Every structure is written in C-alpha cells, then in structure tokens.
Amino acid sequence: SQTIHQWPATLVQPVGSPLSLECTVEGTSNPNLYWYRQAAGRGLQLLFYSVGIGQISSEVPQNLSASRPQDRQFILSSKKLLLSDSGFYLCAWSAFPGGSNQPQHFGDGTRLSIL
Amino acid sequence: QKEVEQNSGPLSVPEGAIASLNCTYSDRGSQSFFWYRQYSGKSPELIMSIYSNGDKEDGRFTAQLNKASQYVSLLIRDSQPSDSATYLCAVNERANFNKFYFGSGTKLNVKP
C-alpha cells in the first residue's frame, strides 16, 4: 500500500531563517505531488504541485519554492521566512496518470511557527 | 478563481441524528468531488468520493451530487461523538483535473 511521509512534525523558526520541508511517498511510481498551507481555522491553499521530476507549478507568488529531485520526493524551501509563513504545511499525493477521478492523500503535516 | 463554498458552522447535532453538510462550487465543468474529514490538529482524511449525479453510500456516509445545481452534500447517519471534526469539500478543476479546490470546511459537533 502507499504511504506518505512528511517531516518534521513541528518546527519553530526565527524570521529570516531558511526552511526545508521534505515529503516522500512509498508504494507508487510517478505520483502527482502537492504542497498546501492551512492557516489556523482556514481552508487549504495550494502552493505547488508537480506531475513529474523537475516539473513544478506554482500557484501563489511568495517567498517559497518547491523542488522534486526524485520521483517520490517533494521539497518545500524558503531562503528567508516571513511571519506570514506560519501555518500547517501539508504534502499530498495522487496517482498518475490521474484522470479526473484520483483523490489526493495527505501526509501528517508540519506545523510551522515563525517567531 | 474557482470557488468552493461551505458553511463554516459549527453544526451541532445530537448523537444518533443525521448530520447534513453542504457544499457549492463554481466550476461547472468539475468532474470529481471529494469529502475529507479533518480532526483538530490533524491532516485531512479522505472519506468519500463521488463522480456522477445521485447518491453514493458507504456505511454511515452518503454523498449526494447535483451537477446542474453545482451542489454536493454529505449525510452522516447515526452521528457519533467521534464524527466531531471539520469536513472539507474538494472539487477538481475542469481545465486541470490534477488541481483541487478546497472549501474552508464545516465544523461538526456531535453531542453525546
């Protein structure tokens, strides 16, 4: 069966520091991968998605970036964190080729607090 | 910008009652619709998917889809306190079915 790993679970970072969050998927090949951010009490905001190695689509202009160095690895990065980057970061995957009927499955998330 | 609208709640129902959660969407060409449950502090968990007009039942859960009205709902029968969570509606985009739009969720409280 497929599993998705996301780490760390919690992270406290000072303003202006760099960020690297990692997500890996097991048990499937060539998945679609996603990064979402959820502010407290809010819905999910799609940040990036990828349909293949090196293919990244950015949804929201910001100081974050994403990379997919390997088929089942998705990394979210920032060179300088802002206070507004605080939130719950979720990685998700869906099967490829997806067609229109493939659901997304989420990792356990990283709770990021910026001080 | 595609929109998915949900009543934020909280929706309070007594234990054993039917909880009805509603969602409307703006992209008329959307093909796939999903309901996720999110417990406080946890990540969303897929509970139902529906692709065709009508009802789809899975245990105590029934998803209902009406594409003409751009409306999808989730019914939870025999609600239990363990069903207390936020329920997120997700809709895929017609032009890019890899992309989902999520509603902000409806918080459900099931009172013992």
Side-chain angles (χ1 to χ4, degrees):
Chain A
S1 63
Q2 301 87 0
T3 56
I4 178 169
H5 303 280
Q6 192 179 341
W7 66 92
T10 59
L11 190 60
V12 180
Q13 293 283 99
V15 171
S17 64
L19 173 74
S20 180
L21 302 180
E22 189 166 342
C23 171
T24 59
V25 180
E26 295 179 355
T28 187
S29 296
N30 199 22
N32 294 331
L33 296 172
Y34 305 83
W35 279 111
Y36 290 89
R37 178 170 60 202
Q38 186 176 35
R42 305 293 295 275
L44 301 179
Q45 179 188 34
L46 178 62
L47 302 176
F48 302 94
Y49 73 95
S50 171
V51 298
I53 295 175
Q55 301 179 59
I56 308 294
S57 295
S58 174
E59 293 299 302
V60 182
Q62 61 218 329
N63 67 320
L64 299 172
S65 62
S67 62
R68 185 170 178 172
Q70 300 181 44
D71 180 41
R72 291 169 289 176
Q73 183 185 30
F74 205 23
I75 297 172
L76 182 69
S77 304
S78 174
K79 292 182 180 179
K80 282 188 174 182
L81 286 167
L82 306 173
L83 283 174
S84 58
D85 291 325
S86 293
F88 190 37
Y89 287 80
L90 292 156
C91 181
W93 74 274
S94 66
F96 182 89
S100 64
N101 294 344
Q102 295 297 330
Q104 295 180 10
H105 304 276
F106 290 87
D108 289 337
T110 295
R111 195 161 303 279
L112 175 64
S113 299
I114 309 299
L115 303 179
Chain B
Q1 174 67 30
K2 307 300 187 297
E3 292 186 350
V4 179
E5 300 287 343
Q6 294 182 257
N7 188 319
S8 62
L11 173 66
S12 292
V13 300
E15 184 174 356
I18 296 175
S20 178
L21 306 166
N22 304 314
C23 171
T24 58
Y25 60 94
S26 63
D27 186 352
R28 183 170 291 278
S30 294
Q31 299 291 323
S32 303
F33 308 85
F34 306 92
W35 283 99
Y36 289 82
R37 176 175 62 199
Q38 186 175 25
Y39 292 115
S40 181
K42 302 296 185 182
S43 63
E45 171 192 14
L46 178 70
I47 53 173
M48 287 287 290
S49 58
I50 188 166
Y51 313 113
S52 303
N53 280 329
D55 295 359
K56 179 182 178 182
E57 187 174 317
D58 184 0
R60 295 186 296 112
F61 299 97
T62 299
Q64 300 174 318
L65 175 61
N66 184 327
K67 290 185 179 180
S69 300
Q70 295 174 242
Y71 174 95
V72 58
S73 64
L74 179 70
L75 301 178
I76 306 175
R77 291 182 300 280
D78 188 23
S79 295
Q80 301 297 309
S82 59
D83 294 325
S84 298
T86 296
Y87 289 80
L88 303 173
C89 173
V91 178
N92 80 326
E93 183 182 88
R94 175 186 59 182
N96 182 354
F97 50 72
N98 290 311
K99 287 177 61 176
F100 285 19
Y101 293 97
F102 283 82
S104 57
T106 298
K107 185 173 175 61
L108 173 66
N109 291 329
V110 181
K111 300 180 178 179

